[in-house]
Amino acid sequence: MSQDDFPLDANGPAYTTPQQRHGVPLVYVGEKLGHAIEELHHFARHHPQQRQALVAPMYYLLVAHLGLHNMLAKANDQSLALRLLEGSEAELRSWLALIEREGDVAGLAGLDAP
């Protein structure tokens, strides 16, 4: 298997379009989505009986957060939302830091350029 066998665009062509925008920095939007994920996780930890009802809202927050960081393919993991809801605060923060560190809110840093 060669390096060319691995897609560089984790969002896939159906979810990728070049855009020029002016407005709130996407890093700020990502930060707020991260806080929303943390708050939902906090609620789930204090109300474990509600955890199953929180899987769908967590999933949609994760899709938005991962899409913003150009890592949408990670949302294909059907167990991700529940795993994060059941995990510790440290595990969630570590996961969010990984997405922020490895993702790219501005696109794939020119990797699509010829």
Side-chain angles (χ1 to χ4, degrees), residues 20-100:
Q20 187 174 36
R21 63 182 304 279
H22 299 281
V24 176
L26 295 179
V27 170
Y28 176 83
V29 174
E31 177 185 315
K32 298 309 172 200
L33 278 170
H35 289 316
I37 290 167
E38 288 176 332
E39 288 297 322
L40 192 64
H41 178 266
H42 179 79
F43 183 86
R45 300 278 297 158
H46 287 86
H47 303 279
Q49 71 280 10
Q50 298 293 322
R51 204 169 283 154
Q52 280 298 327
L54 300 174
V55 170
M58 178 62 103
Y59 172 76
Y60 289 117
L61 283 171
L62 293 173
V63 167
H65 194 66
L66 289 165
L68 181 66
H69 286 85
N70 287 302
M71 299 181 82
L72 193 55
K74 295 203 174 291
N76 290 334
D77 179 352
Q78 297 296 313
S79 66
L80 180 61
L82 185 57
R83 278 197 344 261
L84 289 176
L85 285 171
E86 291 177 339
S88 70
E89 187 176 319
E91 290 169 328
L92 178 71
R93 287 205 172 137
S94 176
W95 185 86
L96 287 168
L98 174 72
I99 297 305
E100 185 176 323

